[in-house]
Amino acid sequence: MVRRLTIASAALPALVLGVLTAGMLLRAAVGTHPLWRVEPVNLSEAAALRDPATVLQLIRRGEDPYQRREVRADLLFNDRADLTAFEAAIASGRAEVMEAILWSVPRPGPAEWNRLRCLSKLQETEDIDEVLDRYKPETASLECSSVTRPWK
């Protein structure tokens, strides 16, 4: 009896591991991540999360970086916010995300460039200022008196 109990207790961890592995493989086969839940992100959230690869992938799928989208609470701010991908990149202070967006879409017009450049100036993000200055339309001029942050 003691011998059987010893063998069973030695085999139990391997049996539990086998059942858990089979469960994870089954979850992966039906399309869910086996270890954690994956939340889909929109373009603005990808920009806020400093993920230029996802930003480019979503733009290639046809998402518009000029469109406002919800950024969930606690991703960038304590509360949710409706931001464009450009605004989210400025708010998160990531020049490489701004560069990726500007590289892959038509250049912003003078009015939009002015607004983005003023937001960057308000955030005091000099690296984003430099990126935006490289994409400055010829007729654009910097006038920030009426520009306010769309986030709190």
Side-chain angles (χ1 to χ4, degrees):
M1 177 80 164
V2 173
R3 185 171 179 226
R4 287 184 185 163
L5 194 56
T6 304
I7 292 172
S9 64
L12 185 62
L15 180 63
V16 169
L17 183 61
V19 169
L20 290 175
T21 301
M24 289 174 33
L25 289 172
L26 182 62
R27 288 187 68 185
V30 297
T32 60
H33 196 283
L35 297 177
W36 55 79
R37 189 175 62 166
V38 177
E39 291 287 333
V41 296
N42 62 44
L43 185 57
S44 297
E45 289 176 338
L49 292 170
R50 305 168 182 140
D51 186 357
T54 302
V55 165
L56 291 174
Q57 183 181 41
L58 292 171
I59 288 172
R60 287 188 184 127
R61 287 185 190 164
E63 287 201 32
D64 180 10
Y66 294 97
Q67 179 183 347
R68 290 188 180 279
R69 292 176 183 80
E70 179 180 336
V71 176
R72 290 173 279 177
D74 297 327
L75 288 183
L76 189 57
F77 307 113
N78 289 336
D79 298 322
R80 64 169 291 288
D82 288 324
L83 303 173
T84 67
F86 292 109
E87 294 165 346
I90 291 169
S92 65
R94 299 310 285 211
E96 72 275 8
V97 174
M98 181 64 76
E99 183 79 46
I101 297 168
L102 288 168
W103 178 77
S104 60
V105 299
R107 291 184 177 206
E112 181 64 15
W113 179 88
N114 181 71
R115 192 179 74 74
L116 294 173
R117 182 62 172 78
C118 290
L119 287 174
S120 179
K121 187 176 177 182
L122 288 170
Q123 282 296 106
E124 299 177 358
T125 52
E126 293 175 13
D127 51 345
I128 294 178
D129 292 346
E130 293 173 13
V131 170
L132 286 167
D133 288 345
R134 286 197 301 270
Y135 291 87
K136 179 181 179 183
E138 290 182 19
T139 60
S141 62
L142 194 58
E143 172 53 49
C144 298
S145 62
S146 63
V147 176
T148 58
R149 291 181 184 111
W151 59 86
K152 297 176 184 177

